[in-house]
C-alpha cells in the first residue's frame, strides 16, 4: 500500500486508461513488456475516492472494440524498442515531454551513464517523484524530473536541470501532439530541434488527419467522456520532420510490421514515427 499519496488533478482519465492497459498487458503470458510502475499507480488510484469511476471507464474503453487496447501495447513496445536502440547506439541523454506517469525510467534496461529528463507540470513531476520513491522501484538510469510548462520557456528549465544541447538526445513525444494546436506543435518541434545535436533521435505519435473528420467521431466522443479533446492531426509527419532536419520513418499504429502479431483497431487511427537528426546546415548554425 502507498498510503497518503494524493493523485493530482493533472492525472487525467486518458492517462489512467493507458496505465490500466499497460498493467493488463504485463499480465499476459505473451506480454510485449512489463510495467510495474503502472501497477503502483493504479494501487494509488484505488485508494483515492475521487477516481472511483476509473474501473467502469476502463471497462467501457476496453470493450468498445476487441483490438482497441492492443494499440497501447504496440505503441509502448515500439517506443521502448526505439529508445533502447538509441541508447545502444550511444545516446545517453533522454527527454520525455509531458512525461506524466510514464514508467520507463524504472523498467527499461538503460546503459550506465544514461541521464533521463522527465518534463511535466509541477504537480505531475512531484507526484511521479513521490510515487517512484514510495513504490520501492529502483530507477535504471539517472532520472531528473523537470517542472515546466510546454507553453512557456521549457528549454531554459531543461538546461537548468543539467541538459546538454551539445550531446545527442533521444526525445520521446508520446500522447501529446494531438492535444496541441497545429501552431503549438510546430513551435514545440522547432524548440526541440534547436536543442538537438546531430545524431539525436526522436520518437513521436500523432493522429491521422481522418480522426478530426467524420471517421473519427466515435473516438472523439469516447475521448470527450474522459474530459479531453484532440486539437490537431496530420498525415505529413515525414515531411514535417524533414523540414526540421529529421530523417524519419513513419508507421501506422495498425501496421503489422510493428505489431508483434497483434491486431490493432483502425480507430483511433494514429501514426508513430522515429527519426534521426542529420548534420545542420551552416545557415542553420549561423541563425
Amino acid at each position: 500500500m502507498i498510503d497518503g499519496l494524493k493523485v493530482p488533478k493533472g492525472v487525467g482519465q486518458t492517462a489512467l486508461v493507458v496505465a490500466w492497459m499497460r498493467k493488463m498487458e504485463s499480465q499476459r503470458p505473451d506480454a510485449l513488456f512489463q510495467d510495474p510502475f503502472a501497477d503502483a499507480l493504479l494501487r494509488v488510484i484505488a485508494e483515492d475516492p475521487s477516481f472511483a469511476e476509473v474501473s467502469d471507464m476502463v471497462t467501457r474503453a476496453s470493450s468498445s472494440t476487441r483490438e482497441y487496447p492492443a494499440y497501447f501495447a504496440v505503441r509502448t513496445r515500439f517506443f521502448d524498442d526505439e529508445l533502447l536502440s538509441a541508447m545502444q547506439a550511444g545516446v545517453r541523454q533522454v527527454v520525455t515531454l509531458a512525461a506524466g506517469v510514464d514508467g520507463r525510467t524504472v523498467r527499461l534496461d538503460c546503459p550506465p551513464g544514461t541521464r533521463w529528463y522527465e518534463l511535466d507540470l509541477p504537480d505531475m513531476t512531484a507526484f511521479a517523484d513521490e510515487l517512484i520513491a514510495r513504490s520501492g522501484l529502483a530507477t535504471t538510469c539517472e532520472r531528473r524530473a523537470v517542472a515546466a510548462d510546454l507553453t512557456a520557456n521549457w528549454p531554459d528549465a531543461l538546461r537548468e536541470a543539467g541538459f546538454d544541447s551539445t550531446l545527442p538526445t533521444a526525445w520521446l513525444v508520446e500522447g501529446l501532439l494531438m492535444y496541441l494546436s497545429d501552431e503549438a506543435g510546430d513551435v514545440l518541434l522547432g524548440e526541440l530541434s534547436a536543442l538537438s545535436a546531430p545524431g539525436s533521435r526522436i520518437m513521436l505519435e500523432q493522429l491521422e488527419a481522418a480522426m478530426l473528420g467524420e471517421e473519427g467521431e466515435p473516438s472523439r466522443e469516447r475521448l470527450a467522456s474522459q474530459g479531453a479533446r484532440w486539437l490537431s492531426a496530420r498525415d505529413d509527419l515525414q515531411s514535417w520532420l524533414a523540414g526540421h532536419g529529421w530523417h524519419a520513418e513513419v508507421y501506422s499504429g495498425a501496421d503489422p510490421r510493428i505489431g508483434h502479431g497483434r491486431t490493432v483497431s483502425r480507430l483511433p487511427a494514429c501514426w508513430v514515427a522515429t527519426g534521426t537528426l542529420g548534420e545542420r546546415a551552416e545557415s542553420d548554425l549561423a541563425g
Side-chain angles (χ1 to χ4, degrees), residues 86-103:
M87 289 186 280
Q88 289 163 3
V91 176
R92 294 293 181 268
Q93 185 168 251
V94 184
V95 180
T96 305
L97 298 181
V101 288
D102 185 54

Side-chain angles (χ1 to χ4, degrees), residues 33 76-85 104 107-108:
F33 55 85
T76 298
R77 176 61 183 270
F78 177 81
F79 289 136
D80 283 0
D81 288 347
E82 292 299 320
L83 287 162
L84 289 170
S85 174
R104 289 182 171 92
R107 64 180 181 80
L108 291 189

Side-chain angles (χ1 to χ4, degrees), residues 28-199:
R28 290 176 57 124
D30 60 345
L32 299 183
F33 55 85
Q34 297 292 327
D35 193 348
F37 193 65
D39 184 65
L41 169 65
L42 290 166
R43 283 188 282 118
V44 172
I45 298 303
E47 299 170 4
D48 190 329
S50 66
F51 285 88
E53 77 283 4
V54 169
S55 294
D56 289 341
M57 175 197 63
V58 172
T59 299
R60 291 195 302 272
S62 302
S63 62
S64 59
T65 174
R66 185 180 61 182
E67 298 86 7
Y68 173 58
Y71 171 69
F72 294 106
V74 168
R75 180 186 74 176
T76 298
R77 176 61 183 270
F78 177 81
F79 289 136
D80 283 0
D81 288 347
E82 292 299 320
L83 287 162
L84 289 170
S85 174
M87 289 186 280
Q88 289 163 3
V91 176
R92 294 293 181 268
Q93 185 168 251
V94 184
V95 180
T96 305
L97 298 181
V101 288
D102 185 54
R104 289 182 171 92
T105 59
V106 300
R107 64 180 181 80
L108 291 189
D109 187 14
C110 300
T114 300
R115 180 178 290 176
W116 197 312
Y117 299 88
E118 292 194 330
L119 190 149
D120 213 316
L121 295 171
D123 61 340
M124 285 301 306
T125 56
F127 175 69
D129 285 349
E130 189 69 8
L131 181 59
I132 289 175
R134 297 198 189 191
S135 69
L137 299 170
T139 57
T140 60
C141 58
E142 181 187 349
R143 175 183 174 272
R144 295 194 178 186
V146 182
D149 188 334
L150 288 174
T151 64
N153 191 6
W154 64 269
D156 276 358
L158 192 58
R159 292 189 190 96
E160 289 169 5
F163 176 85
D164 187 347
S165 61
T166 68
L167 299 177
T169 303
W171 297 91
L172 177 60
V173 189
E174 179 184 30
L176 172 62
L177 289 174
M178 62 283 295
Y179 299 106
L180 302 177
S181 66
D182 285 335
E183 295 77 13
D186 288 338
V187 169
L188 184 72
L189 180 60
E191 292 173 324
L192 178 161
S193 300
L195 290 169
S196 300

